[in-house]
Amino acid sequence: MKTESKFLREIVKEANEISNQKFDAFIKGGENDLVTTLDYEIEKFLIDKIGEQYPNFDIVSEEYNTVNKVTDNCFVIDPIDGTINFANNLPLWGIQIACVKNGETIASVISLPRINEFYYADETGAYLNDEKISINEVPIKNALYAIDGNNNLPSMQRMRKYSSNRRNFGCVCVSMAFVASGRIHGAVFRSNKPWDYEPGLFICKMAGASIKSVDGFHAAAMNEEFLNILELETAKKQNVSNIFILHSLNGDTLNIWGQDIKDVFGAKEIDVIMPEFPIRADSKYEKFKEILKFYLDNGKLNGNSIVVAHSIGNAYFIRFCKELHYEPKAYIAVAPGAIYDYPTTRNDYFVDVLKQSVLKPDSFDFIKNASIKKYCLYSDEDNNNQEKFVRFIDDTNSEGIYLKYYNHFDGYHRIYRIPELIELISSLL
């Protein structure tokens, strides 16, 4: 059998040819993420090749095997790292793969086809186009570094006191490859997707870089001193809740008080996730469930999450919790009146959406008895809704919070700020 290093180099070079084919791009999951048809084709090609030579090895990959767990014997694959760059014909993207054997990474490859650079590493060292490479050390004030992941601006600002020479390539494998080849002096990935960081970390290590890989912080640097600085200023806080803002029907939540929450807590290094659900006639529960389940399956939506739902988003979320037996740390309902049946004179898509939002007794029973901190934000702007809000508080065993600043309301649920909501989330964090 060929060595793992040679095997990886051969199959990735073949995969490079697939990347030249025509492709279509699609929204994946939410938060402006993309996937292309070639992501799937390249990954399937690599998986098939591995299966022929290493049938007993596990696969950890972005599209088909998305459990974020590296096993003792596995291949870690990202078919196209930097898909948004790729889809927009920006050449900073790559195909990358690593082999883990007996609990240790022993070989990896990063191919950057559009700039004709092929990186690989094994026990003999790290290479670029078959030439051995190594990291480059400079004074820290002159260090050039990249930070990838979500909510990076605050950490970039904190790094300014050491060096303001930051770059964002939009592609983790490019950042890591450039550290290994001495072009930049540090790279940080602030997330936990091993297909993004595992191949690059090994190449950096074999090029002489100092590396560290812990929850929410995967980094390579020119030396231990700079690595410690990067960890101090850019490592994500541990055991801190993230926040989900769930809209429905009109989607204006995301651009008004949802964005206010993202601005406030994003500056504090708190992840605020606002999935982009289909709106109006396409605002179906099945699609809501599919998108939210993506976050649940990937561990982003978890038992430590704070979920804020608006209008019909409340009904959909309660159904989701009941069907998947999911309980967040806290659930905050904003304007949840749509979960109750009521007459309407409209004769359009709105009627069909409302039918999906009326909750059955078993859903109420689940959320009422769940060990979740539950809150309902309400006001006196509409007496009919007021009755529903009081009913909701009783039906879900929620704590009612009256909105005394509800004058930021323009008549169609477009509230630009909800100070009480910011205060409540702050107390829950």
PDB file of all heavy atoms in Angstrom, residues 111-145:
ATOM      1  N   SER A 111      -4.492  22.008  -1.324  1.00  0.00           N
ATOM      2  CA  SER A 111      -4.262  22.405  -2.705  1.00  0.00           C
ATOM      3  C   SER A 111      -4.997  23.709  -2.989  1.00  0.00           C
ATOM      4  O   SER A 111      -6.200  23.817  -2.726  1.00  0.00           O
ATOM      5  CB  SER A 111      -4.758  21.318  -3.663  1.00  0.00           C
ATOM      6  OG  SER A 111      -4.615  21.739  -5.009  1.00  0.00           O
ATOM      7  N   LEU A 112      -4.277  24.689  -3.514  1.00  0.00           N
ATOM      8  CA  LEU A 112      -4.858  25.968  -3.923  1.00  0.00           C
ATOM      9  C   LEU A 112      -4.749  26.052  -5.445  1.00  0.00           C
ATOM     10  O   LEU A 112      -3.830  26.674  -5.993  1.00  0.00           O
ATOM     11  CB  LEU A 112      -4.123  27.131  -3.252  1.00  0.00           C
ATOM     12  CG  LEU A 112      -3.934  27.040  -1.726  1.00  0.00           C
ATOM     13  CD1 LEU A 112      -3.181  28.269  -1.208  1.00  0.00           C
ATOM     14  CD2 LEU A 112      -5.265  26.893  -1.015  1.00  0.00           C
ATOM     15  N   PRO A 113      -5.679  25.426  -6.159  1.00  0.00           N
ATOM     16  CA  PRO A 113      -5.512  25.242  -7.614  1.00  0.00           C
ATOM     17  C   PRO A 113      -5.413  26.531  -8.416  1.00  0.00           C
ATOM     18  O   PRO A 113      -4.664  26.583  -9.389  1.00  0.00           O
ATOM     19  CB  PRO A 113      -6.764  24.446  -8.008  1.00  0.00           C
ATOM     20  CG  PRO A 113      -7.245  23.814  -6.751  1.00  0.00           C
ATOM     21  CD  PRO A 113      -6.902  24.781  -5.665  1.00  0.00           C
ATOM     22  N   ARG A 114      -6.150  27.556  -8.039  1.00  0.00           N
ATOM     23  CA  ARG A 114      -6.189  28.755  -8.876  1.00  0.00           C
ATOM     24  C   ARG A 114      -4.919  29.590  -8.776  1.00  0.00           C
ATOM     25  O   ARG A 114      -4.673  30.442  -9.624  1.00  0.00           O
ATOM     26  CB  ARG A 114      -7.410  29.600  -8.520  1.00  0.00           C
ATOM     27  CG  ARG A 114      -8.746  28.938  -8.807  1.00  0.00           C
ATOM     28  CD  ARG A 114      -8.929  28.616 -10.295  1.00  0.00           C
ATOM     29  NE  ARG A 114     -10.249  28.065 -10.548  1.00  0.00           N
ATOM     30  CZ  ARG A 114     -10.542  26.770 -10.569  1.00  0.00           C
ATOM     31  NH1 ARG A 114      -9.579  25.865 -10.363  1.00  0.00           N
ATOM     32  NH2 ARG A 114     -11.770  26.353 -10.797  1.00  0.00           N
ATOM     33  N   ILE A 115      -4.108  29.344  -7.736  1.00  0.00           N
ATOM     34  CA  ILE A 115      -2.825  30.049  -7.666  1.00  0.00           C
ATOM     35  C   ILE A 115      -1.657  29.061  -7.801  1.00  0.00           C
ATOM     36  O   ILE A 115      -0.513  29.394  -7.510  1.00  0.00           O
ATOM     37  CB  ILE A 115      -2.694  30.890  -6.376  1.00  0.00           C
ATOM     38  CG1 ILE A 115      -2.787  30.008  -5.122  1.00  0.00           C
ATOM     39  CG2 ILE A 115      -3.732  31.995  -6.343  1.00  0.00           C
ATOM     40  CD1 ILE A 115      -2.529  30.785  -3.830  1.00  0.00           C
ATOM     41  N   ASN A 116      -2.001  27.838  -8.249  1.00  0.00           N
ATOM     42  CA  ASN A 116      -0.990  26.817  -8.565  1.00  0.00           C
ATOM     43  C   ASN A 116      -0.055  26.518  -7.389  1.00  0.00           C
ATOM     44  O   ASN A 116       1.159  26.420  -7.556  1.00  0.00           O
ATOM     45  CB  ASN A 116      -0.167  27.243  -9.793  1.00  0.00           C
ATOM     46  CG  ASN A 116      -1.027  27.379 -11.037  1.00  0.00           C
ATOM     47  OD1 ASN A 116      -1.837  26.507 -11.338  1.00  0.00           O
ATOM     48  ND2 ASN A 116      -0.872  28.496 -11.746  1.00  0.00           N
ATOM     49  N   GLU A 117      -0.648  26.369  -6.210  1.00  0.00           N
ATOM     50  CA  GLU A 117       0.144  26.033  -5.035  1.00  0.00           C
ATOM     51  C   GLU A 117      -0.397  24.753  -4.406  1.00  0.00           C
ATOM     52  O   GLU A 117      -1.604  24.642  -4.140  1.00  0.00           O
ATOM     53  CB  GLU A 117       0.152  27.171  -4.026  1.00  0.00           C
ATOM     54  CG  GLU A 117       0.876  28.401  -4.572  1.00  0.00           C
ATOM     55  CD  GLU A 117       1.154  29.455  -3.516  1.00  0.00           C
ATOM     56  OE1 GLU A 117       0.649  29.323  -2.380  1.00  0.00           O
ATOM     57  OE2 GLU A 117       1.874  30.414  -3.839  1.00  0.00           O
ATOM     58  N   PHE A 118       0.514  23.819  -4.177  1.00  0.00           N
ATOM     59  CA  PHE A 118       0.145  22.512  -3.631  1.00  0.00           C
ATOM     60  C   PHE A 118       0.994  22.253  -2.387  1.00  0.00           C
ATOM     61  O   PHE A 118       2.203  22.045  -2.467  1.00  0.00           O
ATOM     62  CB  PHE A 118       0.393  21.423  -4.679  1.00  0.00           C
ATOM     63  CG  PHE A 118      -0.232  20.099  -4.347  1.00  0.00           C
ATOM     64  CD1 PHE A 118      -1.528  19.811  -4.744  1.00  0.00           C
ATOM     65  CD2 PHE A 118       0.476  19.130  -3.652  1.00  0.00           C
ATOM     66  CE1 PHE A 118      -2.117  18.588  -4.446  1.00  0.00           C
ATOM     67  CE2 PHE A 118      -0.092  17.903  -3.344  1.00  0.00           C
ATOM     68  CZ  PHE A 118      -1.398  17.633  -3.745  1.00  0.00           C
ATOM     69  N   TYR A 119       0.346  22.312  -1.231  1.00  0.00           N
ATOM     70  CA  TYR A 119       1.014  22.124   0.056  1.00  0.00           C
ATOM     71  C   TYR A 119       0.753  20.709   0.561  1.00  0.00           C
ATOM     72  O   TYR A 119      -0.357  20.179   0.404  1.00  0.00           O
ATOM     73  CB  TYR A 119       0.467  23.097   1.099  1.00  0.00           C
ATOM     74  CG  TYR A 119       0.714  24.561   0.820  1.00  0.00           C
ATOM     75  CD1 TYR A 119      -0.073  25.266  -0.092  1.00  0.00           C
ATOM     76  CD2 TYR A 119       1.720  25.253   1.492  1.00  0.00           C
ATOM     77  CE1 TYR A 119       0.147  26.616  -0.339  1.00  0.00           C
ATOM     78  CE2 TYR A 119       1.942  26.607   1.266  1.00  0.00           C
ATOM     79  CZ  TYR A 119       1.154  27.274   0.346  1.00  0.00           C
ATOM     80  OH  TYR A 119       1.376  28.609   0.105  1.00  0.00           O
ATOM     81  N   TYR A 120       1.756  20.128   1.190  1.00  0.00           N
ATOM     82  CA  TYR A 120       1.532  18.857   1.869  1.00  0.00           C
ATOM     83  C   TYR A 120       2.555  18.704   2.988  1.00  0.00           C
ATOM     84  O   TYR A 120       3.584  19.401   3.021  1.00  0.00           O
ATOM     85  CB  TYR A 120       1.591  17.671   0.899  1.00  0.00           C
ATOM     86  CG  TYR A 120       2.932  17.420   0.239  1.00  0.00           C
ATOM     87  CD1 TYR A 120       3.863  16.551   0.799  1.00  0.00           C
ATOM     88  CD2 TYR A 120       3.249  18.041  -0.970  1.00  0.00           C
ATOM     89  CE1 TYR A 120       5.086  16.302   0.187  1.00  0.00           C
ATOM     90  CE2 TYR A 120       4.465  17.803  -1.595  1.00  0.00           C
ATOM     91  CZ  TYR A 120       5.384  16.929  -1.012  1.00  0.00           C
ATOM     92  OH  TYR A 120       6.589  16.697  -1.626  1.00  0.00           O
ATOM     93  N   ALA A 121       2.252  17.793   3.902  1.00  0.00           N
ATOM     94  CA  ALA A 121       3.152  17.537   5.026  1.00  0.00           C
ATOM     95  C   ALA A 121       3.049  16.083   5.444  1.00  0.00           C
ATOM     96  O   ALA A 121       1.983  15.456   5.339  1.00  0.00           O
ATOM     97  CB  ALA A 121       2.818  18.459   6.200  1.00  0.00           C
ATOM     98  N   ASP A 122       4.174  15.555   5.901  1.00  0.00           N
ATOM     99  CA  ASP A 122       4.225  14.224   6.494  1.00  0.00           C
ATOM    100  C   ASP A 122       5.343  14.239   7.524  1.00  0.00           C
ATOM    101  O   ASP A 122       5.791  15.322   7.942  1.00  0.00           O
ATOM    102  CB  ASP A 122       4.412  13.132   5.436  1.00  0.00           C
ATOM    103  CG  ASP A 122       5.599  13.393   4.527  1.00  0.00           C
ATOM    104  OD1 ASP A 122       6.582  14.022   4.982  1.00  0.00           O
ATOM    105  OD2 ASP A 122       5.563  12.959   3.353  1.00  0.00           O
ATOM    106  N   GLU A 123       5.818  13.079   7.913  1.00  0.00           N
ATOM    107  CA  GLU A 123       6.822  13.030   8.975  1.00  0.00           C
ATOM    108  C   GLU A 123       8.149  13.664   8.569  1.00  0.00           C
ATOM    109  O   GLU A 123       8.996  13.974   9.424  1.00  0.00           O
ATOM    110  CB  GLU A 123       7.053  11.577   9.424  1.00  0.00           C
ATOM    111  CG  GLU A 123       7.827  10.707   8.452  1.00  0.00           C
ATOM    112  CD  GLU A 123       6.974  10.166   7.307  1.00  0.00           C
ATOM    113  OE1 GLU A 123       5.751  10.474   7.278  1.00  0.00           O
ATOM    114  OE2 GLU A 123       7.518   9.423   6.471  1.00  0.00           O
ATOM    115  N   THR A 124       8.342  13.894   7.265  1.00  0.00           N
ATOM    116  CA  THR A 124       9.612  14.472   6.799  1.00  0.00           C
ATOM    117  C   THR A 124       9.603  15.997   6.789  1.00  0.00           C
ATOM    118  O   THR A 124      10.644  16.620   6.583  1.00  0.00           O
ATOM    119  CB  THR A 124       9.940  13.969   5.382  1.00  0.00           C
ATOM    120  OG1 THR A 124       8.964  14.472   4.455  1.00  0.00           O
ATOM    121  CG2 THR A 124       9.959  12.454   5.336  1.00  0.00           C
ATOM    122  N   GLY A 125       8.429  16.620   6.957  1.00  0.00           N
ATOM    123  CA  GLY A 125       8.357  18.072   6.951  1.00  0.00           C
ATOM    124  C   GLY A 125       7.175  18.582   6.152  1.00  0.00           C
ATOM    125  O   GLY A 125       6.258  17.825   5.813  1.00  0.00           O
ATOM    126  N   ALA A 126       7.189  19.878   5.850  1.00  0.00           N
ATOM    127  CA  ALA A 126       6.123  20.523   5.077  1.00  0.00           C
ATOM    128  C   ALA A 126       6.679  21.019   3.751  1.00  0.00           C
ATOM    129  O   ALA A 126       7.825  21.476   3.670  1.00  0.00           O
ATOM    130  CB  ALA A 126       5.526  21.690   5.868  1.00  0.00           C
ATOM    131  N   TYR A 127       5.819  20.977   2.725  1.00  0.00           N
ATOM    132  CA  TYR A 127       6.290  21.267   1.368  1.00  0.00           C
ATOM    133  C   TYR A 127       5.283  22.133   0.614  1.00  0.00           C
ATOM    134  O   TYR A 127       4.074  22.021   0.810  1.00  0.00           O
ATOM    135  CB  TYR A 127       6.513  19.969   0.593  1.00  0.00           C
ATOM    136  CG  TYR A 127       7.521  19.056   1.236  1.00  0.00           C
ATOM    137  CD1 TYR A 127       7.133  18.187   2.254  1.00  0.00           C
ATOM    138  CD2 TYR A 127       8.855  19.067   0.838  1.00  0.00           C
ATOM    139  CE1 TYR A 127       8.055  17.336   2.866  1.00  0.00           C
ATOM    140  CE2 TYR A 127       9.787  18.222   1.445  1.00  0.00           C
ATOM    141  CZ  TYR A 127       9.374  17.358   2.455  1.00  0.00           C
ATOM    142  OH  TYR A 127      10.292  16.538   3.062  1.00  0.00           O
ATOM    143  N   LEU A 128       5.807  22.966  -0.270  1.00  0.00           N
ATOM    144  CA  LEU A 128       5.011  23.726  -1.227  1.00  0.00           C
ATOM    145  C   LEU A 128       5.573  23.441  -2.606  1.00  0.00           C
ATOM    146  O   LEU A 128       6.745  23.737  -2.888  1.00  0.00           O
ATOM    147  CB  LEU A 128       5.078  25.232  -0.927  1.00  0.00           C
ATOM    148  CG  LEU A 128       4.581  26.183  -2.030  1.00  0.00           C
ATOM    149  CD1 LEU A 128       3.143  25.858  -2.419  1.00  0.00           C
ATOM    150  CD2 LEU A 128       4.717  27.636  -1.583  1.00  0.00           C
ATOM    151  N   ASN A 129       4.724  22.829  -3.447  1.00  0.00           N
ATOM    152  CA  ASN A 129       5.168  22.433  -4.793  1.00  0.00           C
ATOM    153  C   ASN A 129       6.485  21.661  -4.735  1.00  0.00           C
ATOM    154  O   ASN A 129       7.435  21.913  -5.494  1.00  0.00           O
ATOM    155  CB  ASN A 129       5.285  23.654  -5.701  1.00  0.00           C
ATOM    156  CG  ASN A 129       3.938  24.319  -5.955  1.00  0.00           C
ATOM    157  OD1 ASN A 129       2.887  23.707  -5.764  1.00  0.00           O
ATOM    158  ND2 ASN A 129       3.960  25.569  -6.371  1.00  0.00           N
ATOM    159  N   ASP A 130       6.548  20.732  -3.772  1.00  0.00           N
ATOM    160  CA  ASP A 130       7.678  19.817  -3.571  1.00  0.00           C
ATOM    161  C   ASP A 130       8.939  20.470  -3.018  1.00  0.00           C
ATOM    162  O   ASP A 130       9.975  19.795  -2.879  1.00  0.00           O
ATOM    163  CB  ASP A 130       8.021  19.067  -4.871  1.00  0.00           C
ATOM    164  CG  ASP A 130       6.908  18.129  -5.308  1.00  0.00           C
ATOM    165  OD1 ASP A 130       6.248  17.546  -4.426  1.00  0.00           O
ATOM    166  OD2 ASP A 130       6.679  17.998  -6.524  1.00  0.00           O
ATOM    167  N   GLU A 131       8.867  21.754  -2.686  1.00  0.00           N
ATOM    168  CA  GLU A 131      10.000  22.425  -2.046  1.00  0.00           C
ATOM    169  C   GLU A 131       9.709  22.564  -0.550  1.00  0.00           C
ATOM    170  O   GLU A 131       8.619  22.993  -0.156  1.00  0.00           O
ATOM    171  CB  GLU A 131      10.236  23.806  -2.652  1.00  0.00           C
ATOM    172  CG  GLU A 131      10.644  23.792  -4.113  1.00  0.00           C
ATOM    173  CD  GLU A 131      12.044  23.249  -4.321  1.00  0.00           C
ATOM    174  OE1 GLU A 131      12.888  23.389  -3.399  1.00  0.00           O
ATOM    175  OE2 GLU A 131      12.304  22.682  -5.404  1.00  0.00           O
ATOM    176  N   LYS A 132      10.669  22.213   0.285  1.00  0.00           N
ATOM    177  CA  LYS A 132      10.459  22.271   1.722  1.00  0.00           C
ATOM    178  C   LYS A 132      10.249  23.717   2.176  1.00  0.00           C
ATOM    179  O   LYS A 132      10.914  24.634   1.675  1.00  0.00           O
ATOM    180  CB  LYS A 132      11.654  21.662   2.466  1.00  0.00           C
ATOM    181  CG  LYS A 132      11.301  21.143   3.853  1.00  0.00           C
ATOM    182  CD  LYS A 132      12.351  20.161   4.361  1.00  0.00           C
ATOM    183  CE  LYS A 132      11.874  19.478   5.641  1.00  0.00           C
ATOM    184  NZ  LYS A 132      12.858  18.497   6.138  1.00  0.00           N
ATOM    185  N   ILE A 133       9.337  23.918   3.100  1.00  0.00           N
ATOM    186  CA  ILE A 133       9.011  25.262   3.586  1.00  0.00           C
ATOM    187  C   ILE A 133       9.113  25.315   5.101  1.00  0.00           C
ATOM    188  O   ILE A 133       9.096  24.293   5.780  1.00  0.00           O
ATOM    189  CB  ILE A 133       7.590  25.705   3.149  1.00  0.00           C
ATOM    190  CG1 ILE A 133       6.543  24.669   3.612  1.00  0.00           C
ATOM    191  CG2 ILE A 133       7.526  25.956   1.652  1.00  0.00           C
ATOM    192  CD1 ILE A 133       5.113  25.070   3.312  1.00  0.00           C
ATOM    193  N   SER A 134       9.192  26.535   5.618  1.00  0.00           N
ATOM    194  CA  SER A 134       9.223  26.726   7.072  1.00  0.00           C
ATOM    195  C   SER A 134       8.649  28.089   7.410  1.00  0.00           C
ATOM    196  O   SER A 134       8.543  28.984   6.545  1.00  0.00           O
ATOM    197  CB  SER A 134      10.650  26.611   7.615  1.00  0.00           C
ATOM    198  OG  SER A 134      11.462  27.629   7.069  1.00  0.00           O
ATOM    199  N   ILE A 135       8.283  28.246   8.660  1.00  0.00           N
ATOM    200  CA  ILE A 135       7.692  29.502   9.123  1.00  0.00           C
ATOM    201  C   ILE A 135       8.743  30.610   9.123  1.00  0.00           C
ATOM    202  O   ILE A 135       9.949  30.350   9.044  1.00  0.00           O
ATOM    203  CB  ILE A 135       7.064  29.336  10.528  1.00  0.00           C
ATOM    204  CG1 ILE A 135       8.097  28.769  11.523  1.00  0.00           C
ATOM    205  CG2 ILE A 135       5.867  28.413  10.458  1.00  0.00           C
ATOM    206  CD1 ILE A 135       8.756  29.759  12.377  1.00  0.00           C
ATOM    207  N   ASN A 136       8.263  31.835   9.233  1.00  0.00           N
ATOM    208  CA  ASN A 136       9.133  33.011   9.219  1.00  0.00           C
ATOM    209  C   ASN A 136       8.861  33.832  10.472  1.00  0.00           C
ATOM    210  O   ASN A 136       7.712  34.203  10.732  1.00  0.00           O
ATOM    211  CB  ASN A 136       8.844  33.841   7.964  1.00  0.00           C
ATOM    212  CG  ASN A 136       9.681  35.098   7.892  1.00  0.00           C
ATOM    213  OD1 ASN A 136      10.793  35.158   8.395  1.00  0.00           O
ATOM    214  ND2 ASN A 136       9.120  36.136   7.263  1.00  0.00           N
ATOM    215  N   GLU A 137       9.889  34.098  11.257  1.00  0.00           N
ATOM    216  CA  GLU A 137       9.726  34.878  12.488  1.00  0.00           C
ATOM    217  C   GLU A 137      10.111  36.332  12.258  1.00  0.00           C
ATOM    218  O   GLU A 137      11.123  36.629  11.627  1.00  0.00           O
ATOM    219  CB  GLU A 137      10.583  34.296  13.615  1.00  0.00           C
ATOM    220  CG  GLU A 137      10.073  32.966  14.129  1.00  0.00           C
ATOM    221  CD  GLU A 137      10.684  32.583  15.465  1.00  0.00           C
ATOM    222  OE1 GLU A 137      10.544  33.375  16.426  1.00  0.00           O
ATOM    223  OE2 GLU A 137      11.300  31.511  15.539  1.00  0.00           O
ATOM    224  N   VAL A 138       9.281  37.238  12.791  1.00  0.00           N
ATOM    225  CA  VAL A 138       9.527  38.681  12.722  1.00  0.00           C
ATOM    226  C   VAL A 138       9.204  39.271  14.094  1.00  0.00           C
ATOM    227  O   VAL A 138       8.577  38.617  14.928  1.00  0.00           O
ATOM    228  CB  VAL A 138       8.654  39.352  11.638  1.00  0.00           C
ATOM    229  CG1 VAL A 138       8.958  38.796  10.258  1.00  0.00           C
ATOM    230  CG2 VAL A 138       7.158  39.187  11.970  1.00  0.00           C
ATOM    231  N   PRO A 139       9.603  40.508  14.374  1.00  0.00           N
ATOM    232  CA  PRO A 139       9.156  41.159  15.610  1.00  0.00           C
ATOM    233  C   PRO A 139       7.632  41.203  15.656  1.00  0.00           C
ATOM    234  O   PRO A 139       6.969  41.406  14.633  1.00  0.00           O
ATOM    235  CB  PRO A 139       9.757  42.559  15.508  1.00  0.00           C
ATOM    236  CG  PRO A 139      10.933  42.400  14.613  1.00  0.00           C
ATOM    237  CD  PRO A 139      10.544  41.350  13.613  1.00  0.00           C
ATOM    238  N   ILE A 140       7.068  41.000  16.841  1.00  0.00           N
ATOM    239  CA  ILE A 140       5.611  40.915  16.958  1.00  0.00           C
ATOM    240  C   ILE A 140       4.918  42.153  16.415  1.00  0.00           C
ATOM    241  O   ILE A 140       3.845  42.063  15.796  1.00  0.00           O
ATOM    242  CB  ILE A 140       5.216  40.645  18.424  1.00  0.00           C
ATOM    243  CG1 ILE A 140       5.563  39.194  18.774  1.00  0.00           C
ATOM    244  CG2 ILE A 140       3.727  40.906  18.668  1.00  0.00           C
ATOM    245  CD1 ILE A 140       5.336  38.822  20.202  1.00  0.00           C
ATOM    246  N   LYS A 141       5.508  43.338  16.577  1.00  0.00           N
ATOM    247  CA  LYS A 141       4.872  44.560  16.066  1.00  0.00           C
ATOM    248  C   LYS A 141       4.746  44.531  14.547  1.00  0.00           C
ATOM    249  O   LYS A 141       3.930  45.259  13.979  1.00  0.00           O
ATOM    250  CB  LYS A 141       5.656  45.785  16.512  1.00  0.00           C
ATOM    251  CG  LYS A 141       7.062  45.881  15.924  1.00  0.00           C
ATOM    252  CD  LYS A 141       7.777  47.134  16.397  1.00  0.00           C
ATOM    253  CE  LYS A 141       9.193  47.227  15.810  1.00  0.00           C
ATOM    254  NZ  LYS A 141       9.880  48.460  16.270  1.00  0.00           N
ATOM    255  N   ASN A 142       5.557  43.685  13.883  1.00  0.00           N
ATOM    256  CA  ASN A 142       5.497  43.568  12.429  1.00  0.00           C
ATOM    257  C   ASN A 142       4.736  42.333  11.966  1.00  0.00           C
ATOM    258  O   ASN A 142       4.647  42.076  10.759  1.00  0.00           O
ATOM    259  CB  ASN A 142       6.915  43.517  11.849  1.00  0.00           C
ATOM    260  CG  ASN A 142       7.700  44.784  12.130  1.00  0.00           C
ATOM    261  OD1 ASN A 142       7.141  45.864  12.210  1.00  0.00           O
ATOM    262  ND2 ASN A 142       9.005  44.633  12.308  1.00  0.00           N
ATOM    263  N   ALA A 143       4.211  41.565  12.910  1.00  0.00           N
ATOM    264  CA  ALA A 143       3.565  40.298  12.563  1.00  0.00           C
ATOM    265  C   ALA A 143       2.280  40.527  11.766  1.00  0.00           C
ATOM    266  O   ALA A 143       1.484  41.424  12.056  1.00  0.00           O
ATOM    267  CB  ALA A 143       3.251  39.513  13.827  1.00  0.00           C
ATOM    268  N   LEU A 144       2.093  39.684  10.766  1.00  0.00           N
ATOM    269  CA  LEU A 144       0.888  39.684   9.938  1.00  0.00           C
ATOM    270  C   LEU A 144       0.090  38.442  10.308  1.00  0.00           C
ATOM    271  O   LEU A 144       0.654  37.340  10.398  1.00  0.00           O
ATOM    272  CB  LEU A 144       1.298  39.644   8.465  1.00  0.00           C
ATOM    273  CG  LEU A 144       0.240  39.834   7.386  1.00  0.00           C
ATOM    274  CD1 LEU A 144      -0.408  41.205   7.499  1.00  0.00           C
ATOM    275  CD2 LEU A 144       0.886  39.663   6.010  1.00  0.00           C
ATOM    276  N   TYR A 145      -1.211  38.598  10.546  1.00  0.00           N
ATOM    277  CA  TYR A 145      -1.999  37.468  11.031  1.00  0.00           C
ATOM    278  C   TYR A 145      -3.401  37.506  10.441  1.00  0.00           C
ATOM    279  O   TYR A 145      -3.877  38.534   9.954  1.00  0.00           O
ATOM    280  CB  TYR A 145      -2.083  37.488  12.565  1.00  0.00           C
ATOM    281  CG  TYR A 145      -2.674  38.760  13.134  1.00  0.00           C
ATOM    282  CD1 TYR A 145      -4.030  38.875  13.365  1.00  0.00           C
ATOM    283  CD2 TYR A 145      -1.861  39.861  13.397  1.00  0.00           C
ATOM    284  CE1 TYR A 145      -4.579  40.044  13.861  1.00  0.00           C
ATOM    285  CE2 TYR A 145      -2.393  41.038  13.892  1.00  0.00           C
ATOM    286  CZ  TYR A 145      -3.753  41.129  14.119  1.00  0.00           C
ATOM    287  OH  TYR A 145      -4.293  42.293  14.599  1.00  0.00           O
TER     288      TYR A 145
END
